[in-house]
Amino acid sequence: MSEDLPILACRDMSCQISARPKALDVLQNIDFTVARHTALGIVGESGAGKSMLVKSIMGIAPASVRVNGQIMLDGQDLFAMKPRDRARFIGRKVGIVFQNPMTSLNPYVPVGRQIAEACRQHFDVPRDEARQRAIELLRTVGIADPEDCYDYYPHHFSGGMKQRIMIAASLICHPDLLIADEATTALDVTVQKEVLDLLQTIQEQRQMSMILVSHNLGVVAGRTDEILVLYGGHVVEYGPTSEVFRNPRHRYTEALLSAMPHMDQPTHTRLRTIAGQPPSLANKPAGCPFAPRCGAAEGPCHTTMPDMRTGTDSRHRFACHFPLEQTVGPAVVSGATDRGARAQ
Amino acid sequence: MTNTRLPVAGTSPSRLLEIENLSVHFSRSGKLMRAVDGVSLHVAAGETLGLVGESGSGKTTIGRALLRLLPEANTQWQGSIRYQGTDLASLSRAGMRGMRGRMQMIFQDPVSSFNPRRRIEDIVAEGLVIQGVPKAERRTRVEAALADVGFALADVAGRKPHQFSGGQCQRIAIARALAVQPDLIVCDEPVASLDVSVQAHVINLLQDIREARRLAMIFISHDLAVVKNVSDRVAVLYMGKVVEMGSGEQIYDRPAHPYTRKLLEAVPVVDASRKLRPAADQQAIPSRIRPPSGCAFRTRCPRAVARCGEEEPILTPAPRGQMVACHFPHDETAPFSTARQA
Amino acid sequence: MSSPGAPLVQGTRLGDIARAAMPATSMLKLPGGTLFEMLAAAFLVFLVLIALFVDFIPGLVSPKFPYGDFSQMPDLTLNGLLGTDDIGRSILSRVLYGARASLTIVFVATCLSVSVGLLLGMLAGYYRGMLERMVDLYANTMSALPSVLVVLAFVTATGTSVGAIILILGILDIGTYARVAKAGVISQNNRDYVLAARAMGATDARILMKEILPNLIPALTAVMPTLMAGLIITEGSLSFLGYGIPAPAPSWGGMIASSTDLLSRFPVLIVGPTMAIVLTVYALNTVGDYLAHRLNSRERGN
Ligand SMILES: Nc1ncnc2c1ncn2[C@@H]1O[C@H](COP(=O)(O)OP(=O)(O)OP(=O)(O)O)[C@@H](O)[C@H]1O
Ligand SMILES: Nc1ncnc2c1ncn2[C@@H]1O[C@H](COP(=O)(O)OP(=O)(O)OP(=O)(O)O)[C@@H](O)[C@H]1O
Ligand code: SF4
Ligand code: SF4
Ligand SMILES: [Mg+2]
Ligand SMILES: [Mg+2]
């Protein structure tokens, strides 16, 4: 495994759910890479397919889902492996933290033991050493008095603490990639910030890669290197985070950014809204998934799916027939200010 | 507790709602939990008061106490709630029912705020039926309320709540509250469970209605950007107490209380121009049953000194006009404030 | 917890999918039960029809009067299909008329216990406190005592009459229904829609009737068949012991009792009444399981 090889590469991946009367496409034409030591943000509305994407990568999509395409993890083609090997391989390379800390931990087993047990499953280490490792991990994620906390049950911890414990558990195998699927959505602002800070610190210290999944653009804004915007199961925009936020090219990304209330808008500012609803799986539009809600939609938008194209920065890609102008300008202090001014 | 009826900048004299010294205590397995502790607030007609604070700080409890919707078992509460001159706290259950039409509530979870077995038009008309509005008038008022939130009666007639999306349900919930023509609506995290694109609809809708009807609102949320957008004044709660209260600009541009600053720093901002530096510090949140002596925030406060543990700070006017409960309030603009950049 | 990830899969909204993927017509289809459950339901419908229309079955003799020889073996005539009993009455006729008697008693008793239990349970769940404790105590006591003994004691005191039997059978299950209703009310009490109704100024009675009651019906319907099956057995035992419906009216339990005397010589004659009880109880339990299962899956779906 060479260092310049991306840790994760999805090539033309798609997911289908078998259903009556016809199969439903949850994800289509997903193409992205996560380079080593970088963080990727995946954003999209509820139902956009974020969790499905993560689960497909982890090989834990529900049985009714068929995953096609190619997923390369650390240079290895996952679908070329035997299922058993694949599960082990993924388990070693990738750590994952889910949204709901309450259901992810077994309520009847002390948290430390849960981590230690997982440790023993992956590495054939004696009980004592597993315990030491678990305590070490708990310390890493900022749990005070890890020796005592080792024997506490999940209900002794607050939501934020449980999420820290989940992060500790995901670090057992020294993964190269850490995935956080809405890991902070259930937490309140101050705790959310602490957990995000922790994730970022760990990612940087341990030289890992990270995928940060969220429906909140603010969560990924300052913490990722690249960002992938999902809409209706399609990648609509993908590029360096600062580029995408400063100069969104896809109409949906732009609409989403200006629909958010910003801290620097005066009170009672009217927000820009996006008409209509996200597409349902059962009747997806034929062309651009955003066409029914897009103000700029014209003929081709309703009939043909736009191809990915590249902006002036070749890393910034977007799938729109009529993309927004590239506004070449100096880097602004705050992307938000810029946008707030334009929305008015 | 102290009297907070000192004039606060930006308030109008016509107070629709005035809460004084409201305390709500829950007893859970023998332990007393002060969910709300001596809170005084007021709302003028047509004004929106934002309530912010972290989870468990007592926001919902205050909202429910106002409407006398607290559970009866294991709950004690006291204080005065004056609404349009009537003290709600002293009303009997029947007397309270008479006041019900004048204040309404919108809940966080749009789906569970509807009885799954009832039809939408019945749900919206329920308040009118209870008030004894004649059938013919009921229909026009239901139609009007639905029209206010962008539905025609024909769109919803005969359908049940589960046939609508979260955003649609929240609009119907607003229609239900509007149908009885209240003067005050308590919105308990009305957009927390909605997607960004849908959330903007609901916020705009609430703003339109507020203007058109001169409706007062108490807007509870932990999303500070949303609160900033909708509120004229903001009250910050920490462990059941108001720690800072003032106009939106005061609170957001020159937060005086260290906790308010902490909250504001934590807001995820859509600003990708620089990568954030993660902060390493984190402090444990103290127990609600045995709160710290003196200032409840001192366990997490960077400015805490011995005095904070001995003497409980009381709400007093800060130099900038807002009320703050801190011995050593800040007086500089927030480092993260956008006012600085403008 | 194994590898971080694998068992932690959760949080997709299958209900949404199911609804989205389901064309509108499939909502109207018979709610998917197995063939077995269908058969059980059909059997119960058949039994109810018999109970209602047994008088109109052409050629069926009266159950109260002898029609042939004593203890006649089954033959292929209508009245002799299950044989005759010790005094020559048609067993088939008595089984069919017995269905009417049993079902009537069970039905009326259930109406009684559901209405009283629902009322008590709703009040107990809504107001809690003393009433709740009393309901719990009552339900616990009733389920701790062997029901046949309770019923026997009662009937010995009052004398055997259909009214007394219905009354005591009804009283038996009040506690269980009350507890189911109470649990349902408590789980709804702090739902937002109940709060919303209260915020609208609805009276407690209105909240109970309009918001809470409709949502209790499914849970009650699901426990009803199982409890009814229990009543069938209790009523059968009572008749078996001779404290049931007064003779010569036919009852399944009484028929089993009278054929046990001749069991060694004519074992076939016990088949009719026994099968009647076994099949009915079995069918009721099957339908009860099916309803409970449906209820659970629907609540999870929502
Ligand atoms: N097990 C499943 N069977 C069928 N459809 C599913 C399943 N899981 C998810 N889906 C559907 O796939 C789509 C994508 O779901 P996914 O959970 O990935 O969305 P998401 O972007 O994670 O949304 P959220 O922000 O709500 O978590 C949705 O339309 C969802 O309804
Ligand atoms: N019925 C109750 N019985 C006992 N404790 C309660 C009850 N309702 C609320 N509490 C407690 O009171 C405190 C305040 O709760 P409240 O719901 O008002 O918080 P909140 O500010 O609305 O929080 P969130 O942002 O999580 O909604 C919490 O610690 C909660 O556990
Ligand atoms: S392709 Fe057309 S419909 Fe889609 S976002 Fe671009 S302009 Fe809008
Ligand atoms: S009173 Fe002291 S501890 Fe409390 S917020 Fe002010 S400085 Fe901090
Ligand atoms: Mg998800
Ligand atoms: Mg709340």
Side-chain angles (χ1 to χ4, degrees):
Chain A
M1 25 169 147
S2 74
E3 271 295 301
D4 48 346
L5 211 59
I7 179 71
L8 176 74
C10 287
R11 294 276 160 259
D12 197 23
M13 194 191 104
S14 65
C15 290
Q16 271 196 333
I17 298 179
S18 44
R20 292 170 304 149
K22 65 178 173 62
L24 305 169
D25 291 311
V26 185
L27 292 171
Q28 282 167 287
N29 300 325
I30 307 293
D31 238 316
F32 69 92
T33 52
V34 184
R36 278 171 202 280
H37 320 317
T38 64
L40 171 76
I42 299 183
V43 294
E45 290 179 81
S46 181
K50 307 183 292 295
S51 301
M52 191 61 85
L53 177 54
V54 166
K55 286 179 191 166
S56 310
I57 295 168
M58 295 294 293
I60 52 174
S64 59
V65 173
R66 235 190 41 239
V67 184
N68 294 316
Q70 191 187 40
I71 303 177
M72 305 285 283
L73 181 61
D74 203 9
Q76 306 246 27
D77 186 348
L78 287 186
F79 294 132
M81 293 186 196
K82 287 209 234 34
R84 259 191 71 89
D85 298 343
R86 180 163 64 214
R88 280 199 79 78
F89 183 66
I90 296 174
R92 294 217 163 196
K93 291 286 172 194
V94 190
I96 187 161
V97 185
F98 284 102
Q99 169 169 0
N100 193 341
M102 323 304 160
T103 51
S104 306
L105 286 166
N106 181 344
Y108 304 110
V109 182
V111 291
R113 238 196 43 225
Q114 298 192 33
I115 299 176
E117 286 300 318
C119 201
R120 278 164 56 88
Q121 268 182 22
H122 283 283
F123 310 98
D124 199 15
V125 292
R127 225 167 257 284
D128 280 350
E129 194 187 331
R131 186 189 157 91
Q132 278 316 312
R133 285 197 194 185
I135 289 174
E136 212 35 60
L137 284 171
L138 287 174
R139 197 188 315 270
T140 315
V141 296
I143 303 256
D145 312 319
E147 283 90 357
D148 297 335
C149 290
Y150 184 91
D151 294 317
Y152 289 0
Y153 289 86
H155 68 261
H156 290 128
F157 295 94
S158 67
M161 297 288 259
K162 278 187 224 163
Q163 212 54 300
R164 285 171 190 273
I165 293 166
M166 285 311 299
I167 295 172
S170 71
L171 296 177
I172 293 166
C173 298
H174 306 289
D176 294 318
L177 174 65
L178 185 63
I179 303 182
D181 184 2
E182 308 258 11
T184 59
T185 303
L187 309 174
D188 68 52
V189 252
T190 42
V191 186
Q192 164 167 320
K193 174 167 184 288
E194 286 175 7
V195 173
L196 286 172
D197 282 350
L198 173 69
L199 280 171
Q200 204 183 339
T201 314
I202 288 180
Q203 183 237 328
E204 285 167 8
Q205 279 174 358
R206 299 198 159 205
Q207 299 270 299
M208 292 191 296
S209 304
M210 179 163 73
I211 297 183
L212 204 55
V213 180
S214 178
H215 65 265
N216 186 342
L217 294 164
V219 165
V220 298
R223 303 182 191 270
T224 55
D225 304 293
E226 286 192 310
I227 176 173
L228 182 87
V229 184
L230 274 183
Y231 183 77
H234 290 270
V235 176
V236 294
E237 188 153 8
Y238 172 43
T241 308
S242 54
E243 277 298 307
V244 173
F245 278 106
R246 195 169 69 210
N247 190 186
R249 306 291 306 273
H250 195 278
R251 305 257 165 192
Y252 171 68
T253 317
E254 198 269 342
L256 200 59
L257 281 168
S258 39
M260 285 182 70
H262 289 293
M263 293 289 280
D264 44 10
Q265 288 165 339
T267 299
H268 303 320
T269 309
R270 270 195 81 78
L271 298 171
R272 242 183 66 188
T273 58
I274 309 177
Q277 311 266 325
S280 81
L281 285 182
N283 39 30
K284 275 195 176 183
C288 170
F290 189 53
R293 306 171 75 187
C294 180
E298 274 176 54
C301 300
H302 296 286
T303 50
T304 43
M305 178 65 211
D307 288 328
M308 269 285 175
R309 21 173 149 170
T310 327
T312 36
D313 181 343
S314 66
R315 290 172 308 163
H316 187 172
R317 300 190 292 153
F318 42 88
C320 179
H321 287 304
F322 306 105
L324 289 151
E325 288 301 301
Q326 171 97 45
T327 49
V328 199
V332 260
V333 189
S334 149
T337 322
D338 179 30
R339 190 131 309 97
R342 221 185 318 148
Q344 282 154 32
Chain B
M1 278 308 292
T2 44
N3 183 350
T4 53
R5 269 203 286 187
L6 294 158
V8 173
T11 51
S12 81
S14 63
R15 287 184 178 173
L16 180 71
L17 172 79
E18 199 158 0
I19 308 167
E20 226 164 298
N21 243 330
L22 178 73
S23 296
V24 182
H25 298 176
F26 294 111
S27 39
R28 270 193 296 206
S29 50
K31 292 180 199 132
L32 196 71
M33 217 272 293
R34 297 164 200 275
V36 177
D37 198 0
V39 164
S40 301
L41 297 169
H42 57 88
V43 183
E47 183 190 46
T48 304
L49 171 71
L51 275 189
V52 299
E54 60 199 13
S55 187
S57 56
K59 307 183 294 291
T60 301
T61 308
I62 291 181
R64 293 202 174 159
L66 294 186
L67 275 77
R68 298 260 313 259
L69 289 177
L70 290 173
E72 283 174 12
N74 304 329
T75 309
Q76 300 120 41
W77 63 278
Q78 60 201 16
S80 93
I81 306 168
R82 300 190 69 76
Y83 185 69
Q84 293 175 335
T86 321
D87 188 2
L88 301 186
S90 62
L91 287 180
S92 65
R93 284 168 75 105
M96 188 61 211
R97 268 202 296 280
M99 296 290 293
R100 289 292 191 195
R102 305 204 213 155
M103 45 208 304
Q104 280 300 309
M105 185 147 183
I106 297 171
F107 301 88
Q108 168 172 0
D109 181 356
V111 179
S112 90
S113 63
F114 296 123
N115 188 336
R117 296 183 172 265
R118 301 193 70 183
R119 289 173 307 166
I120 298 295
E121 65 265 35
D122 294 338
I123 290 174
V124 178
E126 178 72 8
L128 302 174
V129 176
I130 291 166
Q131 291 187 350
V133 175
K135 200 162 183 180
E137 191 191 335
R138 216 150 69 202
R139 201 187 144 85
T140 53
R141 276 173 69 177
V142 168
E143 262 176 0
L146 283 171
D148 276 347
V149 300
F151 280 116
L153 185 56
D155 294 341
V156 300
R159 303 220 275 162
K160 299 247 172 95
H162 69 87
Q163 290 167 292
F164 293 88
S165 70
Q168 289 172 323
C169 280
Q170 209 55 303
R171 279 156 59 197
I172 293 167
I174 296 173
R176 166 171 68 181
L178 288 178
V180 296
Q181 298 178 340
D183 303 307
L184 171 78
I185 298 189
V186 177
C187 306
D188 190 357
E189 316 221 8
V191 294
S193 58
L194 304 180
D195 266 314
V196 178
S197 71
V198 184
Q199 163 183 312
H201 271 290
V202 173
I203 292 175
N204 281 350
L205 182 64
L206 283 170
Q207 296 302 303
D208 294 345
I209 292 165
R210 184 187 59 88
E211 277 165 27
R213 300 203 174 191
R214 216 175 121 70
L215 195 68
M217 285 200 282
I218 292 184
F219 195 96
I220 299 172
S221 178
H222 51 240
D223 185 334
L224 278 89
V226 172
V227 168
K228 164 126 204 227
N229 187 298
V230 302
S231 315
D232 300 305
R233 284 189 311 123
V234 178
V236 183
L237 285 172
Y238 184 71
M239 290 182 62
K241 291 190 179 127
V242 175
V243 294
E244 183 163 6
M245 178 160 62
S247 71
E249 290 81 51
Q250 288 165 345
I251 300 281
Y252 282 80
D253 293 341
R254 286 178 179 271
H257 198 282
Y259 176 62
T260 314
R261 291 193 166 235
K262 197 174 180 69
L263 269 184
L264 286 170
E265 275 165 34
V267 175
V269 191
V270 188
D271 174 2
S273 51
R274 66 197 147 89
K275 214 159 169 189
L276 294 175
R277 283 282 96 231
D281 70 316
Q282 14 99 16
Q283 300 95 352
I285 295 167
S287 141
R288 290 300 305 269
I289 293 159
R290 278 168 275 104
S293 66
C295 175
F297 187 57
R298 80 183 152 86
T299 54
R300 298 164 71 188
C301 182
R303 301 190 145 198
V305 292
R307 183 179 163 206
C308 304
E310 292 151 11
E311 191 186 336
E312 184 176 341
I314 51 177
L315 264 189
T316 41
R320 303 285 161 177
Q322 71 259 47
M323 307 287 292
V324 60
C326 174
H327 296 309
F328 309 103
H330 289 263
D331 189 24
E332 66 277 12
T333 46
F336 37 84
S337 162
T338 44
R340 187 181 43 113
Q341 297 160 4
Chain C
M1 212 174 93
S2 70
S3 85
L8 313 176
V9 195
Q10 28 76 27
T12 37
R13 294 155 304 150
L14 270 177
D16 293 359
I17 324 299
R19 264 201 294 280
M22 207 180 331
T25 49
S26 68
M27 296 283 207
L28 303 174
K29 270 203 321 212
L30 254 184
T34 60
L35 181 65
F36 197 61
E37 289 160 345
M38 295 297 174
L39 278 178
F43 177 77
L44 291 180
V45 171
F46 171 73
L47 210 61
V48 171
L49 290 178
I50 295 269
L52 290 173
F53 300 114
V54 66
D55 292 333
F56 302 105
I57 299 177
L60 193 67
V61 295
S62 158
K64 296 189 184 170
F65 304 108
Y67 127 92
D69 290 342
F70 299 164
S71 304
Q72 190 180 310
M73 281 296 138
D75 57 34
L76 280 179
T77 61
L78 173 68
N79 292 306
L81 202 59
L82 298 175
T84 63
D85 67 4
D86 49 351
I87 53 172
R89 295 174 295 196
S90 158
I91 293 186
L92 180 76
S93 168
R94 287 180 67 76
V95 165
L96 296 188
Y97 277 94
R100 170 186 278 181
S102 293
L103 290 196
T104 313
I105 289 177
V106 167
F107 179 75
V108 179
T110 300
C111 286
L112 179 78
S113 44
V114 167
S115 44
V116 179
L118 196 57
L119 185 71
L120 282 180
M122 286 197 343
L123 295 177
Y126 197 73
Y127 295 110
R128 313 295 291 266
M130 198 58 193
L131 189 60
E132 181 186 9
R133 260 168 282 150
M134 277 160 58
V135 164
D136 283 344
L137 184 69
Y138 180 80
N140 289 338
T141 320
M142 276 305 182
S143 54
L145 295 173
S147 50
V148 178
L149 286 190
V150 178
V151 175
L152 262 184
F154 186 88
V155 174
T156 357
T158 58
T160 54
S161 69
V162 175
I165 293 172
I166 288 179
L167 187 63
I168 182 61
L169 288 184
I171 290 174
L172 269 189
D173 283 342
I174 287 180
T176 315
Y177 286 115
R179 203 150 37 169
V180 171
K182 193 194 81 180
V185 177
I186 290 174
S187 80
Q188 291 182 62
N189 238 342
N190 281 318
R191 292 275 172 91
D192 291 344
Y193 58 82
V194 173
L195 287 181
R198 201 169 295 152
M200 293 282 172
T203 55
D204 292 349
R206 188 177 173 90
I207 291 174
L208 280 172
M209 297 307 294
K210 285 261 175 189
E211 309 290 342
I212 293 181
L213 180 62
N215 293 300
L216 295 179
I217 306 286
L220 281 177
T221 345
V223 294
M224 217 183 272
T226 318
L227 288 179
M228 285 170 110
L231 288 188
I232 298 250
I233 292 176
T234 313
E235 188 270 334
S237 323
L238 205 60
S239 305
F240 181 85
L241 296 171
Y243 293 90
I245 316 167
S251 72
W252 294 342
M255 292 166 72
I256 297 178
S258 61
S259 46
T260 39
D261 300 341
L262 306 167
L263 194 58
S264 50
R265 280 161 52 209
F266 310 106
V268 227
L269 299 184
I270 207 169
V271 169
T274 315
M275 286 309 284
I277 291 192
V278 169
L279 286 181
T280 311
V281 168
Y282 205 87
L284 279 170
N285 280 328
T286 308
V287 170
D289 285 351
Y290 162 74
L291 287 176
H293 180 77
R294 280 261 301 164
L295 184 74
N296 281 340
S297 55
R298 202 185 44 212
E299 274 173 3
R300 253 182 283 121
N302 282 352

